[in-house]
Amino acid sequence: MSKTQRLILIVGFCALLAFFDVGCHSSESAKPSAHEITVSAAASLQDAFREIGKQFEAQTGARVNFNFAASGTLQKQIESGAPVDVFASAGHTQMDALAAQRLIAPETRQDFARNELVLIAPAEQTVELKSFADLNNTQIKRIAIGNPKTVPAGQYAQQTLTHFNLWTPLQSRLVLGEDVRQALDYVTRGEVEAGIVYASDVRARDGAVQIVARAPADSHEPIAYPIAVIRASKQPDVARAFLDAVMSDEGQRSLEKYGYESVKDQHD
């Protein structure tokens, strides 16, 4: 549809509204509730971001629609032209790919949280598992991780298992989740003996899983969550305001509440 055709439709719509005495306003005079953005965020962020979203909506009157999935999946959606205003990734790889294609507003990009990688087991543990080295135990038949091709948590898990010389020996036992929450669910339901997820994910299944070991910091790349406004956003001002909400003291407290490490001190 051409710009002229769109203009005709808008004018016609406004005339219709005027007929019913509803009124038609310019974007400058529109009420905040008329503003709506779509935030595509890593699956691991859903609990914290829903809370931040409610805070943002209450404070601004804007509406936030969330699209949670693996960061790699969200990256592909944005590359395909999906109508997204904000992207929050669980890793730099996906954000770097979008930046290389000039699909994000580079001046808006910043890290907003950090996380920790942990080895977990069902609360009702049936086999002995105390460390990453124990994954080589033949009693451990299934280990859930995110798919390294699209899931940052899976990429960190691959790096950690490689660090312990376990990646190749454990190939036949790996159960790959479409996102980190699916890997978590496999452990929660007792369908696998172990899983590798984020520390924040354990908060979402409190009491259903237990942390067995924490991955050494030098066993994988630093786990940092970047966020940015998408260049094609139709609501860039609202999108930037959402980023401000995530970086605010209140937003950072929400992230800490759900098990993330704050980066606020790095921006003070």
Side-chain angles (χ1 to χ4, degrees):
M1 183 182 295
S2 68
K3 291 183 178 179
T4 301
Q5 289 172 317
R6 286 198 296 270
L7 181 59
I8 291 173
L9 284 175
I10 292 171
V11 172
F13 183 65
C14 288
L16 182 62
L17 291 177
F19 177 81
F20 288 103
D21 197 30
V22 175
C24 186
H25 308 278
S26 68
S27 60
E28 293 182 350
S29 61
K31 295 179 180 179
S33 59
H35 295 314
E36 187 171 331
I37 59 172
T38 296
V39 176
S40 286
S44 56
L45 289 166
Q46 53 190 289
D47 301 310
F49 263 35
R50 284 197 178 104
E51 180 169 300
I52 293 173
K54 289 180 180 178
Q55 297 166 356
F56 180 73
E57 289 179 338
Q59 293 166 2
T60 66
R63 180 176 178 179
V64 184
N65 297 317
F66 287 110
N67 175 32
F68 296 107
S71 298
T73 299
L74 298 175
Q75 172 201 331
K76 297 300 181 185
Q77 291 175 356
I78 294 169
E79 290 173 343
S80 298
V84 176
D85 300 285
V86 175
F87 177 46
S89 175
H92 282 282
T93 300
Q94 294 73 25
M95 190 69 78
D96 289 344
L98 295 182
Q101 299 172 72
R102 298 177 57 80
L103 294 177
I104 64 170
E107 72 280 5
T108 67
R109 178 177 177 173
Q110 54 192 312
D111 289 347
F112 66 92
R114 295 186 296 269
N115 215 330
E116 187 179 16
L117 197 70
V118 294
L119 176 63
I120 63 171
E124 300 293 330
Q125 193 173 357
T126 58
V127 297
E128 184 173 353
L129 180 64
K130 296 182 179 179
S131 67
F132 281 91
D134 289 339
L135 290 173
N136 222 0
N137 186 328
T138 55
Q139 289 184 301
I140 308 294
K141 301 185 183 301
R142 293 157 299 187
I143 305 158
I145 67 170
N147 188 335
K149 293 182 179 180
T150 56
V151 184
Q155 295 164 0
Y156 299 131
Q158 179 178 356
Q159 293 168 6
T160 298
L161 292 176
T162 300
H163 173 82
F164 287 106
N165 297 314
L166 292 171
W167 178 250
T168 299
L170 296 179
Q171 281 298 297
S172 62
R173 297 190 237 170
L174 296 178
V175 178
L176 305 183
E178 293 182 4
D179 56 51
V180 70
R181 286 299 175 91
Q182 187 175 65
L184 176 67
D185 287 340
Y186 288 144
V187 182
T188 302
R189 295 192 296 261
E191 296 174 4
V192 298
E193 287 77 30
I196 302 176
V197 299
Y198 295 126
S200 61
D201 292 312
V202 178
R203 297 283 186 96
R205 300 291 186 274
D206 187 32
V209 299
Q210 58 177 308
I211 295 177
V212 173
R214 300 177 184 274
D218 63 352
S219 67
H220 56 77
E221 295 176 359
I223 302 175
Y225 286 67
I227 191 170
V229 173
I230 299 302
R231 189 184 292 271
S233 170
K234 302 298 184 184
Q235 296 282 0
D237 292 338
V238 182
R240 289 169 186 261
F242 181 79
L243 264 67
D244 290 341
V246 172
M247 296 303 303
S248 70
D249 290 341
E250 186 176 27
Q252 290 292 296
R253 283 195 295 270
S254 291
L255 287 161
E256 289 180 317
K257 171 183 173 182
Y258 288 98
Y260 296 88
E261 297 176 21
S262 173
V263 296
K264 187 65 178 177
D265 57 333
Q266 297 183 351
H267 297 271
D268 289 340

